Amino acid sequence: MAELVWMNGEIVPLADARVGIEDRGFQFADGVYEVIRLYNHKPFALDLHLQRLQKSAAGIQLAVPIAIPALAAEIGKFLARASVPDGMIYLQLTRGCAPRSHAFSQTKATLLFYARTLPPLTDLTTSEGVKLITVPDERWKRCWIKSIALLPNVLAKNQALAGGADEAVFIENEIVTECSASNIFAVIGQRLVTHPVGPKVLPGITRAILLDLAAKIGLTAEERPLREAEMLHADELFITSTTREISWVARWNDRNIDQSRCGPVTLKLNAVLRERVQRETA
Ligand code: PDD
């Protein structure tokens, strides 16, 4: 079956959908986005993603052009037609088309979403850990906005791949902020530590859910800046995102992290996350 896209209220084949040359998303990266996980035909944590969408849009003085409950209903209708049981929804909102000018003008926003299959998640007990390389954090100071202006992230990710790593971790003044497309956590004793969200860190949905679940397995959640040196001496390190859920970290630049397999706390957190996913998408 041909892939479909929901675009400004209509469902059309993805291959036929068109966005104008003067769409401000195309010319200025003037827009925001969401990536939502699908399990068993159902979106996971949809309410949290749509709340973040509203905040991101407000952060660039843009309103979501349809009420959030109506948007959730449209996503449900779309999923009933799209044959993607397990994967993700990519949703993008831009300020829409107008003659090119930095100044905003009256535009009709462009809102679209489509679904894609993702490869099955790897089993943390048997998977190899990810390799990270550090890069200077050259991004703007509004990283809490899930902006489509991802060039620094794209360059960092490609630098990681070119260096034989999986993901790039941003460092600013010796502090570890987040990765090119994921948040990062350290397990230190019975504490789960990660950088606060805000100017330099996206409020990741997986991050928020794990901070919420930490207490269930006897961990104290702590949001504070972490120095690179502290990360290297942590008991366990892992990164999180909607698409990857949790990946354990095995290597940091040219150093091995002191683990040959995924650590016990990361495994426990993964188990409570999986339970939550299964409960909410059964
Ligand atoms: N990226 N930080 C950054 C910079 C990200 O791009 C992402 C997600 C995250 C994790 O957020 P969440 O848990 O809500 O997925 C953190 C998505 C998956 C992407 O751009 O494809």
Side-chain angles (χ1 to χ4, degrees), residues 108-224:
K108 185 178 161 298
T110 303
L111 177 61
L112 58 87
F113 58 83
Y114 57 88
R116 266 284 146 79
T117 302
L118 288 176
L121 290 165
T122 50
D123 178 352
L124 274 187
T125 53
T126 52
S127 69
E128 276 185 29
V130 290
K131 302 184 179 94
L132 306 182
I133 60 154
T134 55
V135 295
D137 196 341
E138 291 165 347
R139 300 171 304 154
W140 71 339
K141 297 195 183 79
R142 300 188 204 180
C143 293
W144 59 272
I145 298 173
K146 201 160 169 60
S147 157
I148 60 172
L150 287 172
L151 200 48
N153 306 58
V154 166
L155 294 175
K157 174 77 177 188
N158 283 278
Q159 194 180 326
L161 296 178
D166 304 287
E167 177 59 308
V169 53
F170 290 118
I171 310 281
E172 189 173 65
N173 302 326
E174 293 170 42
I175 298 295
V176 178
T177 54
E178 62 175 339
C179 298
S180 82
S182 47
N183 292 112
I184 186 160
F185 288 79
V187 177
I188 303 174
Q190 282 309 299
R191 293 182 181 275
L192 179 64
V193 193
T194 192
H195 196 291
V197 298
K200 282 287 158 177
V201 175
L202 180 79
I205 303 299
T206 324
R207 176 190 180 281
I209 291 172
L210 287 180
L211 288 174
D212 185 45
L213 290 172
K216 274 200 161 192
I217 60 160
L219 287 178
T220 305
E222 198 175 314
E223 294 174 80
R224 65 168 174 87

Side-chain angles (χ1 to χ4, degrees), residues 85-107:
D86 294 288
M88 61 144 189
I89 295 174
Y90 176 76
L91 180 150
Q92 181 167 314
L93 169 66
T94 77
R95 206 175 305 274
C97 276
R100 187 181 183 281
S101 160
H102 285 64
F104 298 158
S105 56
Q106 279 298 327
T107 47

